[in-house]
Amino acid sequence: MDLVWPDDRDFDCLKFEDTQTRLYRLMEKISRACFFRVGAALGIPQAELEDLLDAPGNNLRCPEGEVGANVMRSYRILRSASERPPGLSKAATGLHADFGLITVAPRANLPGLVVLDPSSTHWVAVEEGAPASEVSIMVGETLSQLVQGRVRSGLHFVDEKDTGVPRYSIPFFLRARPDAVVDRATGMTAHEFVECPVMVDRPWGKAYSDY
């Protein structure tokens, strides 16, 4: 599979490929650094964690017939100005935890990311008042599984309180290779973990069917 980039002439801004590639590399670097710092805090050698990951920039090279584990996605959420803000019950994202290792979420153009503080069980609107350069870092379910719950995955949703205006966000998801073992006791791989229990047991499991 080859990477196909839009023609810059189709956009108001130039150098689309260059901008997206630089952003991907930056967020990959941040997510890997956070992953290794968590491991260091828990006494896990960095070399052991490296074995779970694709080589840096693998998705950008995209060998024929292959797709890397990591994902950078662009989201656009828009509700009509006549709609009432849906709150948590009908949020477009729904309440969920990301299934990967680390999520890096740069501040969106509109604040909306709300994260559960596990120490107090309070919801925290992490983008409110945050500077444009700030990113939110969240632990994913695979990392929580890997360290046997010593860190917890971050439950979150997007509070769509600003209707009539599109919200744009570009999170990066650092993920283990599908064949990487994330449970030594059982030999369970990252792919098997996502297939079950995540897709089967979690209320948000169906949203991960494109893994």
Side-chain angles (χ1 to χ4, degrees):
M1 166 183 312
D2 294 325
L3 281 174
V4 178
W5 293 98
D7 192 313
D8 282 336
R9 291 172 295 183
D10 295 334
F11 292 85
D12 293 334
C13 59
L14 299 178
K15 300 183 179 179
F16 180 86
E17 177 182 351
D18 178 65
T19 300
Q20 293 295 301
T21 299
R22 287 190 291 112
L23 179 60
Y24 182 98
R25 291 190 183 281
L26 174 61
M27 295 211 285
E28 182 182 51
K29 182 178 180 180
I30 292 171
S31 64
R32 288 173 66 93
C34 291
F35 182 48
F36 297 147
R37 281 178 177 259
V38 171
L42 298 178
I44 304 173
Q46 180 169 324
E48 186 175 318
L49 299 179
E50 286 268 14
D51 287 342
L52 303 174
L53 305 176
D54 277 339
N58 184 59
N59 261 7
L60 297 175
R61 290 187 293 273
C62 202
E64 185 176 353
E66 297 181 18
V67 176
N70 302 328
V71 175
M72 185 175 78
R73 285 186 169 151
S74 299
Y75 292 98
R76 178 180 185 268
I77 298 177
L78 174 62
R79 289 185 183 269
S80 168
S82 61
E83 292 185 70
R84 297 182 59 184
L88 172 57
S89 62
K90 295 182 179 180
T93 61
L95 176 64
H96 67 286
D98 298 327
F99 72 73
L101 296 165
I102 294 286
T103 298
V104 178
R107 196 202 70 177
N109 65 312
L110 294 175
L113 181 60
V114 180
V115 179
L116 181 66
D117 179 353
S119 66
S120 65
T121 66
H122 291 156
W123 293 106
V124 181
V126 295
E127 293 179 325
E128 289 287 349
S133 59
E134 186 168 297
V135 299
S136 298
I137 309 293
M138 291 178 283
V139 169
E141 294 202 71
T142 303
L143 177 50
S144 185
Q145 170 69 28
L146 180 69
V147 299
Q148 300 178 322
R150 285 181 286 173
V151 294
R152 286 187 264 179
S153 54
L155 282 173
H156 59 282
F157 72 100
V158 173
D159 186 6
E160 303 160 63
K161 58 185 180 179
D162 295 302
T163 60
V165 182
R167 180 183 187 273
Y168 296 97
S169 59
I170 309 180
F172 181 92
F173 305 96
L174 182 73
R175 295 175 176 173
R177 297 190 330 274
D179 62 344
V181 174
V182 296
D183 189 320
R184 288 186 172 180
T186 64
M188 181 169 56
T189 65
H191 177 75
E192 291 168 339
F193 172 66
V194 173
E195 288 290 321
C196 183
V198 173
M199 286 190 182
V200 175
D201 297 341
R202 306 293 196 268
W204 50 85
K206 292 182 179 178
Y208 294 149
S209 60
D210 62 349
Y211 178 69

